[in-house]
Amino acid sequence: MTRTGVRADARIVARADGRGGTALPVLDGSGPLAPRRTRGNGVEARVVVVGAMSGPLGGDRFTLNARVEEGARLHLGSAAATLALPGQAPGEARYDVRLDVADGAELHWLPEQLISATGSDLRVTTMAELAAGARLVLREEQVLGRAGERPGLLTTRLTLRVAGRTVLDQQLSCGPGAPGGWDGPAALAGHRTVGQLLVVRPEFAEHPPAPRMLGDHAALMPLPGPAALVTALAPDALRLRRVLEEGRALLG
């Protein structure tokens, strides 16, 4: 790695193949981001992003772009957890995810957990741009520190736009250097993991799901548009995943 850090990009385009399935005319990656097609179910294409190197480290810049065209279905995940580590290059690391879903298309973005290790400084931005008739299932899970260690500084921003309208734009900062109170009773309250599940379905515009609690530290909330959000806290990654999967089952 150089003093300026590593630059890595991945591009994925999913397109209906005209036979009831989904083709992948673009499946490119560089450096640490290596997208690989796996076995799908005939209609849906499946892609796993493999981490070919450690990171992101300080100074790294990762970008992942996925576009799902009309009539296509894509299931996109990662092969393993992403581990944010301190690096030799100065400054924060960045991981930018851009998702673009057309009318009549569907995307599931379900990466494994993001772990913020001591001394790391990572900013993650996820922007989902959907047409009015698009469908999306998006899961984010953050783990604050490995076992027995304090976390690094982690800032995440999640933005959803449907038919040109902003439906959700939220940011969370945790760890040393984050705004005061991030670990207090009004925020994480000592929990080590936090996660979001975002589901967009056109039918939610007319029939939104009812708000409800999912245990003591998770809630399902309809958003002002064809979307719903589950936000959860948990003491560990296993229990966080269980709560988010419960929300996913409720939202279909």
PDB file of all heavy atoms in Angstrom, residues 17 21 26 28 39 43 52 81 108 110 115 133 144 155 159 161 164-165 168 172 186 197 205 216 234 236 240 247 251:
ATOM      1  N   ASP A  17     -32.593 -11.142 -19.176  1.00  0.00           N
ATOM      2  CA  ASP A  17     -31.999 -11.809 -20.329  1.00  0.00           C
ATOM      3  C   ASP A  17     -33.009 -12.171 -21.414  1.00  0.00           C
ATOM      4  O   ASP A  17     -32.646 -12.797 -22.424  1.00  0.00           O
ATOM      5  CB  ASP A  17     -31.238 -13.063 -19.894  1.00  0.00           C
ATOM      6  CG  ASP A  17     -32.133 -14.130 -19.261  1.00  0.00           C
ATOM      7  OD1 ASP A  17     -33.378 -13.966 -19.278  1.00  0.00           O
ATOM      8  OD2 ASP A  17     -31.584 -15.126 -18.761  1.00  0.00           O
ATOM      9  N   GLY A  21     -34.774 -14.842 -16.930  1.00  0.00           N
ATOM     10  CA  GLY A  21     -33.657 -14.827 -16.003  1.00  0.00           C
ATOM     11  C   GLY A  21     -32.965 -13.480 -15.972  1.00  0.00           C
ATOM     12  O   GLY A  21     -33.442 -12.491 -16.535  1.00  0.00           O
ATOM     13  N   VAL A  26     -22.068  -6.631 -16.939  1.00  0.00           N
ATOM     14  CA  VAL A  26     -20.916  -5.977 -16.318  1.00  0.00           C
ATOM     15  C   VAL A  26     -20.693  -6.591 -14.946  1.00  0.00           C
ATOM     16  O   VAL A  26     -21.601  -6.612 -14.112  1.00  0.00           O
ATOM     17  CB  VAL A  26     -21.121  -4.452 -16.183  1.00  0.00           C
ATOM     18  CG1 VAL A  26     -19.917  -3.808 -15.493  1.00  0.00           C
ATOM     19  CG2 VAL A  26     -21.361  -3.812 -17.544  1.00  0.00           C
ATOM     20  N   ASP A  28     -17.233  -6.278 -12.842  1.00  0.00           N
ATOM     21  CA  ASP A  28     -15.826  -5.874 -12.806  1.00  0.00           C
ATOM     22  C   ASP A  28     -15.436  -5.456 -11.402  1.00  0.00           C
ATOM     23  O   ASP A  28     -16.231  -4.857 -10.670  1.00  0.00           O
ATOM     24  CB  ASP A  28     -15.570  -4.688 -13.747  1.00  0.00           C
ATOM     25  CG  ASP A  28     -15.785  -5.042 -15.210  1.00  0.00           C
ATOM     26  OD1 ASP A  28     -15.536  -6.205 -15.568  1.00  0.00           O
ATOM     27  OD2 ASP A  28     -16.205  -4.159 -15.969  1.00  0.00           O
ATOM     28  N   ARG A  39     -24.157 -19.450  -7.886  1.00  0.00           N
ATOM     29  CA  ARG A  39     -25.343 -20.101  -8.428  1.00  0.00           C
ATOM     30  C   ARG A  39     -26.616 -19.380  -8.000  1.00  0.00           C
ATOM     31  O   ARG A  39     -26.858 -19.171  -6.808  1.00  0.00           O
ATOM     32  CB  ARG A  39     -25.401 -21.564  -7.987  1.00  0.00           C
ATOM     33  CG  ARG A  39     -26.545 -22.364  -8.607  1.00  0.00           C
ATOM     34  CD  ARG A  39     -26.542 -23.794  -8.111  1.00  0.00           C
ATOM     35  NE  ARG A  39     -25.328 -24.484  -8.500  1.00  0.00           N
ATOM     36  CZ  ARG A  39     -25.161 -25.102  -9.663  1.00  0.00           C
ATOM     37  NH1 ARG A  39     -26.142 -25.081 -10.572  1.00  0.00           N
ATOM     38  NH2 ARG A  39     -24.033 -25.720  -9.943  1.00  0.00           N
ATOM     39  N   VAL A  43     -34.205 -17.162 -11.956  1.00  0.00           N
ATOM     40  CA  VAL A  43     -34.718 -15.812 -12.196  1.00  0.00           C
ATOM     41  C   VAL A  43     -33.754 -14.776 -11.655  1.00  0.00           C
ATOM     42  O   VAL A  43     -33.473 -13.760 -12.290  1.00  0.00           O
ATOM     43  CB  VAL A  43     -36.112 -15.645 -11.546  1.00  0.00           C
ATOM     44  CG1 VAL A  43     -36.602 -14.216 -11.699  1.00  0.00           C
ATOM     45  CG2 VAL A  43     -37.101 -16.625 -12.157  1.00  0.00           C
ATOM     46  N   ALA A  52     -10.247  -9.333  -1.593  1.00  0.00           N
ATOM     47  CA  ALA A  52      -8.987  -9.913  -2.039  1.00  0.00           C
ATOM     48  C   ALA A  52      -7.793  -9.430  -1.218  1.00  0.00           C
ATOM     49  O   ALA A  52      -6.698  -9.956  -1.359  1.00  0.00           O
ATOM     50  CB  ALA A  52      -8.767  -9.587  -3.520  1.00  0.00           C
ATOM     51  N   ALA A  81     -17.061 -10.857   6.617  1.00  0.00           N
ATOM     52  CA  ALA A  81     -17.192  -9.550   7.258  1.00  0.00           C
ATOM     53  C   ALA A  81     -16.124  -8.600   6.737  1.00  0.00           C
ATOM     54  O   ALA A  81     -15.023  -9.009   6.347  1.00  0.00           O
ATOM     55  CB  ALA A  81     -17.076  -9.687   8.768  1.00  0.00           C
ATOM     56  N   HIS A 108     -31.432  -7.189  -3.687  1.00  0.00           N
ATOM     57  CA  HIS A 108     -31.169  -7.520  -2.291  1.00  0.00           C
ATOM     58  C   HIS A 108     -29.688  -7.247  -2.036  1.00  0.00           C
ATOM     59  O   HIS A 108     -28.825  -7.911  -2.638  1.00  0.00           O
ATOM     60  CB  HIS A 108     -31.482  -8.993  -1.992  1.00  0.00           C
ATOM     61  CG  HIS A 108     -32.935  -9.310  -2.005  1.00  0.00           C
ATOM     62  ND1 HIS A 108     -33.496 -10.280  -1.202  1.00  0.00           N
ATOM     63  CD2 HIS A 108     -33.957  -8.791  -2.716  1.00  0.00           C
ATOM     64  CE1 HIS A 108     -34.801 -10.357  -1.425  1.00  0.00           C
ATOM     65  NE2 HIS A 108     -35.095  -9.452  -2.348  1.00  0.00           N
ATOM     66  N   LEU A 110     -27.180  -7.516   0.836  1.00  0.00           N
ATOM     67  CA  LEU A 110     -27.098  -8.156   2.144  1.00  0.00           C
ATOM     68  C   LEU A 110     -25.648  -8.524   2.461  1.00  0.00           C
ATOM     69  O   LEU A 110     -25.274  -9.711   2.508  1.00  0.00           O
ATOM     70  CB  LEU A 110     -27.986  -9.414   2.180  1.00  0.00           C
ATOM     71  CG  LEU A 110     -29.468  -9.188   1.879  1.00  0.00           C
ATOM     72  CD1 LEU A 110     -30.188 -10.519   1.722  1.00  0.00           C
ATOM     73  CD2 LEU A 110     -30.122  -8.359   2.976  1.00  0.00           C
ATOM     74  N   ILE A 115     -16.906  -4.543  10.825  1.00  0.00           N
ATOM     75  CA  ILE A 115     -16.293  -4.527  12.150  1.00  0.00           C
ATOM     76  C   ILE A 115     -15.321  -3.360  12.232  1.00  0.00           C
ATOM     77  O   ILE A 115     -14.414  -3.229  11.401  1.00  0.00           O
ATOM     78  CB  ILE A 115     -15.555  -5.849  12.435  1.00  0.00           C
ATOM     79  CG1 ILE A 115     -16.516  -7.029  12.300  1.00  0.00           C
ATOM     80  CG2 ILE A 115     -14.916  -5.821  13.823  1.00  0.00           C
ATOM     81  CD1 ILE A 115     -15.834  -8.383  12.342  1.00  0.00           C
ATOM     82  N   GLY A 133     -41.378   1.872  -9.255  1.00  0.00           N
ATOM     83  CA  GLY A 133     -41.801   0.479  -9.190  1.00  0.00           C
ATOM     84  C   GLY A 133     -40.703  -0.490  -8.823  1.00  0.00           C
ATOM     85  O   GLY A 133     -40.828  -1.706  -9.056  1.00  0.00           O
ATOM     86  N   LEU A 144     -18.934  -2.887  16.849  1.00  0.00           N
ATOM     87  CA  LEU A 144     -18.021  -1.889  17.413  1.00  0.00           C
ATOM     88  C   LEU A 144     -16.909  -2.572  18.189  1.00  0.00           C
ATOM     89  O   LEU A 144     -17.009  -2.832  19.388  1.00  0.00           O
ATOM     90  CB  LEU A 144     -18.798  -0.920  18.307  1.00  0.00           C
ATOM     91  CG  LEU A 144     -19.987  -0.233  17.623  1.00  0.00           C
ATOM     92  CD1 LEU A 144     -20.689   0.701  18.584  1.00  0.00           C
ATOM     93  CD2 LEU A 144     -19.538   0.501  16.371  1.00  0.00           C
ATOM     94  N   THR A 155     -18.311   6.147  10.932  1.00  0.00           N
ATOM     95  CA  THR A 155     -19.427   7.010  10.540  1.00  0.00           C
ATOM     96  C   THR A 155     -20.123   6.383   9.344  1.00  0.00           C
ATOM     97  O   THR A 155     -19.476   6.070   8.342  1.00  0.00           O
ATOM     98  CB  THR A 155     -18.941   8.421  10.171  1.00  0.00           C
ATOM     99  OG1 THR A 155     -18.280   9.007  11.300  1.00  0.00           O
ATOM    100  CG2 THR A 155     -20.109   9.308   9.767  1.00  0.00           C
ATOM    101  N   THR A 159     -28.818   6.703   2.632  1.00  0.00           N
ATOM    102  CA  THR A 159     -29.771   7.575   1.956  1.00  0.00           C
ATOM    103  C   THR A 159     -30.586   6.755   0.965  1.00  0.00           C
ATOM    104  O   THR A 159     -30.033   5.967   0.195  1.00  0.00           O
ATOM    105  CB  THR A 159     -29.054   8.708   1.205  1.00  0.00           C
ATOM    106  OG1 THR A 159     -28.220   9.424   2.117  1.00  0.00           O
ATOM    107  CG2 THR A 159     -30.063   9.679   0.589  1.00  0.00           C
ATOM    108  N   ARG A 161     -33.619   7.241  -2.012  1.00  0.00           N
ATOM    109  CA  ARG A 161     -34.448   8.100  -2.850  1.00  0.00           C
ATOM    110  C   ARG A 161     -35.317   7.210  -3.738  1.00  0.00           C
ATOM    111  O   ARG A 161     -34.821   6.274  -4.359  1.00  0.00           O
ATOM    112  CB  ARG A 161     -33.584   9.030  -3.706  1.00  0.00           C
ATOM    113  CG  ARG A 161     -32.929  10.141  -2.908  1.00  0.00           C
ATOM    114  CD  ARG A 161     -31.911  10.915  -3.731  1.00  0.00           C
ATOM    115  NE  ARG A 161     -32.485  11.430  -4.966  1.00  0.00           N
ATOM    116  CZ  ARG A 161     -33.180  12.564  -5.075  1.00  0.00           C
ATOM    117  NH1 ARG A 161     -33.400  13.309  -3.995  1.00  0.00           N
ATOM    118  NH2 ARG A 161     -33.646  12.961  -6.241  1.00  0.00           N
ATOM    119  N   GLY A 164     -37.067  10.023  -7.316  1.00  0.00           N
ATOM    120  CA  GLY A 164     -36.519  11.359  -7.164  1.00  0.00           C
ATOM    121  C   GLY A 164     -36.791  12.024  -5.831  1.00  0.00           C
ATOM    122  O   GLY A 164     -36.333  13.154  -5.601  1.00  0.00           O
ATOM    123  N   ARG A 165     -37.486  11.349  -4.932  1.00  0.00           N
ATOM    124  CA  ARG A 165     -37.844  11.920  -3.632  1.00  0.00           C
ATOM    125  C   ARG A 165     -37.033  11.255  -2.532  1.00  0.00           C
ATOM    126  O   ARG A 165     -36.934  10.026  -2.468  1.00  0.00           O
ATOM    127  CB  ARG A 165     -39.333  11.706  -3.366  1.00  0.00           C
ATOM    128  CG  ARG A 165     -39.807  12.166  -1.994  1.00  0.00           C
ATOM    129  CD  ARG A 165     -41.227  11.700  -1.742  1.00  0.00           C
ATOM    130  NE  ARG A 165     -41.698  12.059  -0.413  1.00  0.00           N
ATOM    131  CZ  ARG A 165     -42.782  11.556   0.161  1.00  0.00           C
ATOM    132  NH1 ARG A 165     -43.515  10.663  -0.499  1.00  0.00           N
ATOM    133  NH2 ARG A 165     -43.149  11.924   1.369  1.00  0.00           N
ATOM    134  N   LEU A 168     -35.337   8.618   3.036  1.00  0.00           N
ATOM    135  CA  LEU A 168     -34.551   8.395   4.251  1.00  0.00           C
ATOM    136  C   LEU A 168     -33.164   8.968   4.046  1.00  0.00           C
ATOM    137  O   LEU A 168     -32.553   8.785   2.989  1.00  0.00           O
ATOM    138  CB  LEU A 168     -34.445   6.890   4.551  1.00  0.00           C
ATOM    139  CG  LEU A 168     -33.545   6.483   5.729  1.00  0.00           C
ATOM    140  CD1 LEU A 168     -34.171   6.914   7.055  1.00  0.00           C
ATOM    141  CD2 LEU A 168     -33.297   4.976   5.732  1.00  0.00           C
ATOM    142  N   LEU A 172     -24.933   7.995  11.414  1.00  0.00           N
ATOM    143  CA  LEU A 172     -24.574   7.550  12.751  1.00  0.00           C
ATOM    144  C   LEU A 172     -23.061   7.563  12.879  1.00  0.00           C
ATOM    145  O   LEU A 172     -22.360   7.055  11.997  1.00  0.00           O
ATOM    146  CB  LEU A 172     -25.104   6.137  12.998  1.00  0.00           C
ATOM    147  CG  LEU A 172     -24.722   5.482  14.324  1.00  0.00           C
ATOM    148  CD1 LEU A 172     -25.364   6.218  15.501  1.00  0.00           C
ATOM    149  CD2 LEU A 172     -25.108   4.003  14.333  1.00  0.00           C
ATOM    150  N   ALA A 186     -29.312   7.546  25.453  1.00  0.00           N
ATOM    151  CA  ALA A 186     -30.167   8.009  24.360  1.00  0.00           C
ATOM    152  C   ALA A 186     -29.688   7.523  23.001  1.00  0.00           C
ATOM    153  O   ALA A 186     -30.326   7.788  21.988  1.00  0.00           O
ATOM    154  CB  ALA A 186     -30.231   9.533  24.355  1.00  0.00           C
ATOM    155  N   LEU A 197     -32.364  -2.573   8.678  1.00  0.00           N
ATOM    156  CA  LEU A 197     -32.933  -3.328   7.568  1.00  0.00           C
ATOM    157  C   LEU A 197     -33.919  -2.406   6.872  1.00  0.00           C
ATOM    158  O   LEU A 197     -34.883  -1.941   7.489  1.00  0.00           O
ATOM    159  CB  LEU A 197     -33.646  -4.588   8.060  1.00  0.00           C
ATOM    160  CG  LEU A 197     -34.344  -5.392   6.966  1.00  0.00           C
ATOM    161  CD1 LEU A 197     -33.341  -6.187   6.151  1.00  0.00           C
ATOM    162  CD2 LEU A 197     -35.395  -6.331   7.547  1.00  0.00           C
ATOM    163  N   ALA A 205     -46.799   1.854  -0.393  1.00  0.00           N
ATOM    164  CA  ALA A 205     -47.317   3.209  -0.559  1.00  0.00           C
ATOM    165  C   ALA A 205     -48.783   3.291  -0.164  1.00  0.00           C
ATOM    166  O   ALA A 205     -49.239   4.283   0.410  1.00  0.00           O
ATOM    167  CB  ALA A 205     -47.120   3.674  -2.002  1.00  0.00           C
ATOM    168  N   ASP A 216     -36.798  -5.446  23.099  1.00  0.00           N
ATOM    169  CA  ASP A 216     -36.559  -4.229  23.885  1.00  0.00           C
ATOM    170  C   ASP A 216     -35.745  -3.177  23.145  1.00  0.00           C
ATOM    171  O   ASP A 216     -35.801  -1.997  23.498  1.00  0.00           O
ATOM    172  CB  ASP A 216     -35.826  -4.588  25.185  1.00  0.00           C
ATOM    173  CG  ASP A 216     -36.686  -5.421  26.118  1.00  0.00           C
ATOM    174  OD1 ASP A 216     -37.925  -5.293  26.042  1.00  0.00           O
ATOM    175  OD2 ASP A 216     -36.111  -6.206  26.901  1.00  0.00           O
ATOM    176  N   ALA A 234     -27.998  -4.598  19.726  1.00  0.00           N
ATOM    177  CA  ALA A 234     -27.844  -5.916  20.343  1.00  0.00           C
ATOM    178  C   ALA A 234     -26.461  -6.001  20.978  1.00  0.00           C
ATOM    179  O   ALA A 234     -25.536  -5.273  20.587  1.00  0.00           O
ATOM    180  CB  ALA A 234     -28.022  -7.026  19.309  1.00  0.00           C
ATOM    181  N   ASP A 236     -24.378  -8.488  20.654  1.00  0.00           N
ATOM    182  CA  ASP A 236     -23.427  -9.178  19.779  1.00  0.00           C
ATOM    183  C   ASP A 236     -24.042  -9.357  18.397  1.00  0.00           C
ATOM    184  O   ASP A 236     -25.241  -9.156  18.185  1.00  0.00           O
ATOM    185  CB  ASP A 236     -23.012 -10.531  20.371  1.00  0.00           C
ATOM    186  CG  ASP A 236     -24.187 -11.447  20.649  1.00  0.00           C
ATOM    187  OD1 ASP A 236     -24.915 -11.789  19.688  1.00  0.00           O
ATOM    188  OD2 ASP A 236     -24.392 -11.822  21.817  1.00  0.00           O
ATOM    189  N   LEU A 240     -28.010  -9.595  16.870  1.00  0.00           N
ATOM    190  CA  LEU A 240     -28.435  -8.544  15.946  1.00  0.00           C
ATOM    191  C   LEU A 240     -29.007  -9.156  14.667  1.00  0.00           C
ATOM    192  O   LEU A 240     -30.064  -8.741  14.185  1.00  0.00           O
ATOM    193  CB  LEU A 240     -27.251  -7.642  15.610  1.00  0.00           C
ATOM    194  CG  LEU A 240     -27.543  -6.523  14.606  1.00  0.00           C
ATOM    195  CD1 LEU A 240     -28.481  -5.494  15.201  1.00  0.00           C
ATOM    196  CD2 LEU A 240     -26.249  -5.865  14.144  1.00  0.00           C
ATOM    197  N   GLY A 247     -37.429  -9.025  11.484  1.00  0.00           N
ATOM    198  CA  GLY A 247     -38.041  -7.913  10.769  1.00  0.00           C
ATOM    199  C   GLY A 247     -38.207  -8.196   9.292  1.00  0.00           C
ATOM    200  O   GLY A 247     -39.232  -7.843   8.689  1.00  0.00           O
ATOM    201  N   LEU A 251     -41.737  -8.239   7.058  1.00  0.00           N
ATOM    202  CA  LEU A 251     -41.927  -7.340   5.907  1.00  0.00           C
ATOM    203  C   LEU A 251     -42.012  -8.092   4.587  1.00  0.00           C
ATOM    204  O   LEU A 251     -42.114  -7.463   3.534  1.00  0.00           O
ATOM    205  CB  LEU A 251     -40.793  -6.317   5.854  1.00  0.00           C
ATOM    206  CG  LEU A 251     -40.781  -5.321   7.017  1.00  0.00           C
ATOM    207  CD1 LEU A 251     -39.500  -4.518   7.024  1.00  0.00           C
ATOM    208  CD2 LEU A 251     -41.986  -4.400   6.938  1.00  0.00           C
TER     209      LEU A 251
END
